[in-house]
Amino acid sequence: MRRNFVRKILGFGLAAAVLTASFASATVVGAQELELTVTAPAGAGGGWDSASRSLQEVMMATGNAKSVQVVNVPGAGGTVGLAQFVGAAKGSSDQLLVAGITLVGASISNNSPVDLTQVTPIARLTGDPLVIVVPKDSPIRTIADLQATIKEDVAKTIWVGGSAGGADHILAALVTQASGEDPSKINYVAYSGGGEALAAMLGGQATAGVSGYGEWQGQIESGDLRALAISYPDPIQGIEAKPLKAQGLDIELVNWRGVFAGPGVEGDDLEALKTAVDKTVKSPEWQAVLKARGWTDYYAPAEEFKTFIGSETERVRGILKSVGLAN
């Protein structure tokens, strides 16, 4: 009798172990079965597009998603893509959005009815320095030279960068303001994709340009573009250009990017997305991407990122008001 009882207990234990193992296996498979669509609210070649496609590549390579498709929806500093995402991704467990500080600024300056406080933060990914560059043949060799050019004729100083009201535009306005000129009068040509702005710079159609350092790193290292300054408060190893602060301008700006789910995503669906993204950005494969692209790791998990979005929205609003780009 005792022997049969022990056998039953062992049998239940074995069954429980098998059930637990099966459940764990199903959980892993579930994570690997994610089929995602990532919206990059900008054209090809820019930072959001590059971050989206890097996330696509690493999520699939690490098995944190079965398939990932990237869709580009450019327009109005990302607010067109954001509005589409807010409508289409509500409560959806298979859609993500990659965006950053530029979309915060564009939402404010364009008086957009949608902003990043209306979607669900998943993780902050990168935080790159912006870089101010001039064409290789430009007579402007230092940030002081650029300031002198601005003071001579602010309207003839042509800037190129990302969307109006975004991080690139904000930095151009802050440098203009620090040069003693009215930032609302700058001649800023906005492009929805980094590739178009780069073409304008290489074609000699601009006085100066602003972009994330990683986006133009290749052209800087080849000598096609001359880097005058970066927007980080401190020097960065491997980047020769000095911070604006080290050159006498009290300006700092971080070009951060993050990933979001749609409005109303919660419970198990939200946890699955958070887990998949968190495992991806903590992987060696993602660290290799950061190094290859010259991006800075600025990771923050969902709750910390949510708090950051609220404070960053108010900070950017204050900057835009101070330089005449928002009411």
Side-chain angles (χ1 to χ4, degrees):
M1 183 73 174
R2 177 178 176 81
R3 184 176 300 173
N4 290 336
F5 176 76
V6 171
R7 284 177 179 172
K8 286 181 180 179
I9 293 295
L10 290 175
F12 286 137
L14 180 59
V18 170
L19 182 60
T20 301
S22 298
F23 179 78
S25 176
T27 302
V28 172
V29 171
Q32 293 176 341
E33 290 298 318
L34 282 173
E35 297 184 2
L36 303 172
T37 297
V38 179
T39 296
W48 295 342
D49 178 66
S50 298
S52 298
R53 296 184 188 280
S54 295
L55 194 64
Q56 172 192 43
E57 177 185 341
V58 178
M59 289 191 83
M60 293 174 66
T62 56
N64 287 302
K66 180 180 179 180
S67 68
V68 182
Q69 178 184 5
V70 175
V71 177
N72 294 87
V73 187
T79 57
V80 172
L82 175 61
Q84 179 176 308
F85 182 78
V86 166
K90 185 176 182 179
S92 174
S93 62
D94 60 0
Q95 295 198 55
L96 295 173
L97 171 82
V98 168
I101 187 174
T102 288
L103 188 43
V104 175
S107 297
I108 295 167
S109 62
N110 294 334
N111 293 314
S112 172
V114 293
D115 62 35
L116 289 178
T117 65
Q118 295 170 246
V119 290
T120 305
I122 297 295
R124 192 176 63 198
L125 301 177
T126 62
D128 307 326
L130 293 169
V131 63
I132 299 171
V133 302
V134 295
K136 64 178 180 180
D137 297 326
S138 171
I140 298 172
R141 307 197 68 83
T142 66
I143 199 70
D145 291 344
L146 178 58
Q147 288 189 277
T149 300
I150 293 168
K151 289 184 71 67
E152 183 178 340
D153 195 331
V154 65
K156 288 187 178 179
T157 303
I158 303 172
W159 294 82
V160 297
S163 303
D168 301 349
H169 195 174
I170 291 171
L171 185 58
L174 289 174
V175 170
T176 300
Q177 184 179 57
S179 303
E181 297 299 320
D182 185 350
S184 66
K185 294 182 179 179
I186 67 172
N187 188 347
Y188 182 84
V189 182
Y191 292 96
S192 63
E196 295 173 324
L198 176 60
M201 287 298 305
L202 297 178
Q205 300 166 22
T207 308
V210 182
S211 185
Y213 187 88
E215 293 175 47
W216 290 353
Q217 182 177 4
Q219 289 73 29
I220 293 169
E221 292 178 350
S222 70
D224 291 316
L225 296 175
R226 181 183 303 131
L228 304 182
I230 58 172
S231 64
Y232 252 37
D234 304 306
I236 296 178
Q237 185 176 2
I239 297 179
E240 291 186 12
K242 296 179 180 179
L244 287 161
K245 281 200 165 187
Q247 301 186 60
L249 284 75
D250 188 19
I251 298 171
E252 62 178 87
L253 201 64
V254 177
N255 184 30
W256 59 266
R257 302 184 189 98
V259 60
F260 304 80
V265 178
E266 54 190 21
D268 291 344
D269 288 341
L270 178 58
E271 291 305 313
L273 290 172
K274 286 162 57 175
T275 298
V277 172
D278 287 352
K279 285 184 176 180
T280 298
V281 299
K282 291 175 181 177
S283 69
E285 290 87 348
W286 181 255
Q287 295 305 312
V289 166
L290 296 181
K291 184 176 181 180
R293 289 191 173 274
W295 292 342
T296 303
D297 190 351
Y298 204 45
Y299 169 77
E303 288 305 313
E304 181 182 338
F305 189 30
K306 181 178 180 179
T307 301
F308 174 82
I309 290 296
S311 61
E312 185 74 343
T313 298
E314 291 310 306
R315 186 181 80 93
V316 171
R317 190 186 305 278
I319 293 174
L320 290 173
K321 284 183 177 180
S322 74
V323 299
L325 295 174
N327 297 325

